[in-house]
Amino acid sequence: MNTSATPVRLLKNKTVKSALLFAALLAPALPALAAEDYASEFNKIQQVNAGDLNIGYVDIGPRDGQVVILLHGWPYDIHSYAEVAPALASKGFRVIVPHLRGYGTTRFISATTPRNGQPSAMAADIVALMDALKIKQADFAGFDWGARTADIVAALWPERVKSLVSVSGYLISSQKLGQQPLPPQAELLWWYQFYFATPRGEAGYAKNTHDFAKLIWQQASPGWKFSDKTFNTSAASLDNPDHVAITISNYRWRLGLEKGEAKYDQYEQKLATLPAITVPTITIEGGKNGAPHPDPKTYAARFTGKYEHRTFSANVGHNPPQEDPAAFTQAVIDADKL
């Protein structure tokens, strides 16, 4: 795709504009419950066996609605979508928000399954979840690990994805690419990845998981003034017994320090070619994203279907669904219509 021909929409949100937009999204347009009612159901976690996991997930909205799967990042959890999910459900969508492996109530079924954090394994988890819930196709949206996971599902199983909303765009990579050095300033932003490559880093994250996560939140979203209550609600999910192992595995795999599992080799071989994403897509960037992220111009050509890019307001960082739920909700609705 010619980047210059790609339709780009800049979404410059003011506080009042965002509030009005969110109010409009909550206005009843379908014979469904109000967003406030769905919000009260958000914390009702369900469990289902899917692939290697017993996955904990939220499932709200009309059973016959278009399915939306919302995927969280690291070190966050499903509560990044505590406002987005009810807003979408009130518009008639069936919204599923799963805890990724190593988070919340999601558990490995077998004690002998490798605590593997490689990205293709996480994508396979979500396809297994769809199979377990008998969902043929869904709209996908995610940020951080969630965006990477959604991108991989869209690339490897495009028939399962109706549309995609991806924060920071095209996040598919490979171990070979991960071994290539970056400019010093870019390497600095990845400091925790190198920390996790060491035994000291693994021990340090295990000892200080919550404090570490709070630091990442602050670094990744310098304009977001989240409360202790907001942080603690999500941080509880990091107490999952496999969380540290999955985190360490994920970042070590990216650096080529772990091989991963052979059953995912076929996926990794295809992903290493950096396949195009053909499904209708809206990519998003926060105006103040303090986490490592590519320039939107560098990945626009990877999306060969209907495509838009939106840059959120100057105070939105790495977690747009929680920092600007109105604009994120609208992006999911719009992507579904592309």
Side-chain angles (χ1 to χ4, degrees):
M1 173 180 280
N2 186 336
T3 303
S4 63
T6 301
V8 176
R9 299 179 184 175
L10 299 181
L11 195 61
K12 298 180 179 178
N13 301 294
K14 303 296 184 182
T15 302
V16 174
K17 180 180 178 182
S18 182
L20 290 174
L21 175 59
F22 198 55
L25 290 169
L26 299 186
L30 293 169
L33 293 176
E36 310 87 70
D37 297 319
Y38 284 122
S40 68
E41 296 182 0
F42 184 83
N43 292 316
K44 295 179 181 178
I45 306 297
Q46 301 186 48
Q47 301 289 144
V48 65
N49 284 349
D52 291 334
L53 304 173
N54 178 263
I55 296 178
Y57 65 101
V58 169
D59 187 350
I60 61 174
R63 298 300 89 181
D64 60 350
Q66 168 61 41
V67 178
V68 177
I69 296 177
L70 304 175
L71 301 174
H72 68 82
W74 171 87
Y76 307 87
D77 86 325
I78 62 172
H79 290 91
S80 292
Y81 297 103
E83 293 182 66
V84 170
L88 288 171
S90 74
K91 291 296 182 181
F93 291 92
R94 178 186 177 186
V95 187
I96 296 172
V97 193
H99 281 293
L100 300 182
R101 55 170 60 191
Y103 293 82
T105 60
T106 292
R107 298 289 189 274
F108 284 88
I109 295 172
S110 172
T112 62
T113 302
R115 272 39 178 177
N116 174 14
Q118 73 183 104
S120 63
M122 293 189 170
D125 292 341
I126 303 306
V127 174
L129 174 63
M130 294 176 73
D131 290 344
L133 298 179
K134 295 179 170 44
I135 295 169
K136 292 184 178 180
Q137 189 180 64
D139 294 311
F140 274 72
F143 72 101
D144 194 81
W145 285 17
R148 190 181 302 270
T149 300
D151 286 354
I152 293 173
V153 175
L156 296 181
W157 296 276
E159 72 281 1
R160 309 302 294 268
V161 182
K162 182 183 179 187
S163 71
L164 172 66
V165 173
S166 180
V167 177
S168 296
Y170 189 90
L171 297 178
I172 294 173
S173 187
S174 68
Q175 288 188 319
K176 184 176 180 180
L177 285 176
Q179 293 171 6
Q180 296 179 9
L182 301 173
Q185 190 63 31
E187 297 282 29
L188 177 63
L189 294 176
W190 284 111
W191 65 272
Y192 52 88
Q193 180 173 242
F194 304 114
Y195 181 63
F196 290 158
T198 69
R200 175 175 173 170
E202 182 175 5
Y205 188 58
K207 181 179 180 180
N208 305 297
T209 307
H210 287 206
D211 288 342
F212 200 103
K214 181 176 283 189
L215 176 62
I216 295 296
W217 281 34
Q218 293 166 341
Q219 175 182 308
S221 298
W224 183 29
K225 307 305 178 186
F226 56 86
S227 67
D228 287 342
K229 180 180 179 180
T230 295
F231 173 76
N232 291 335
T233 298
S234 287
S237 293
L238 310 184
D239 295 332
N240 181 294
D242 299 307
H243 176 74
V244 173
I246 294 297
T247 299
I248 299 302
S249 172
N250 180 279
Y251 288 107
R252 289 183 179 177
W253 184 90
R254 296 193 203 184
L255 291 175
L257 301 177
E258 286 195 5
K259 291 183 177 180
E261 293 179 79
K263 66 180 179 179
Y264 301 115
D265 286 351
Q266 60 178 321
Y267 302 147
E268 298 302 344
Q269 290 168 6
K270 183 173 181 179
L271 295 172
T273 69
L274 303 182
I277 291 178
T278 60
V279 304
T281 300
I282 293 177
T283 57
I284 289 171
E285 194 51 79
K288 202 170 187 177
N289 186 357
H293 62 277
D295 185 321
K297 294 178 182 178
T298 66
Y299 57 66
R302 296 291 180 186
F303 298 94
T304 59
K306 295 180 180 179
Y307 176 72
E308 298 178 21
H309 176 75
R310 300 181 179 185
T311 297
F312 283 10
S313 69
N315 282 327
V316 175
H318 193 56
N319 181 4
Q322 200 161 8
E323 297 178 61
D324 195 341
F328 195 90
T329 300
Q330 190 62 55
V332 176
I333 293 172
D334 293 345
D336 174 72
K337 297 176 181 178
L338 283 178

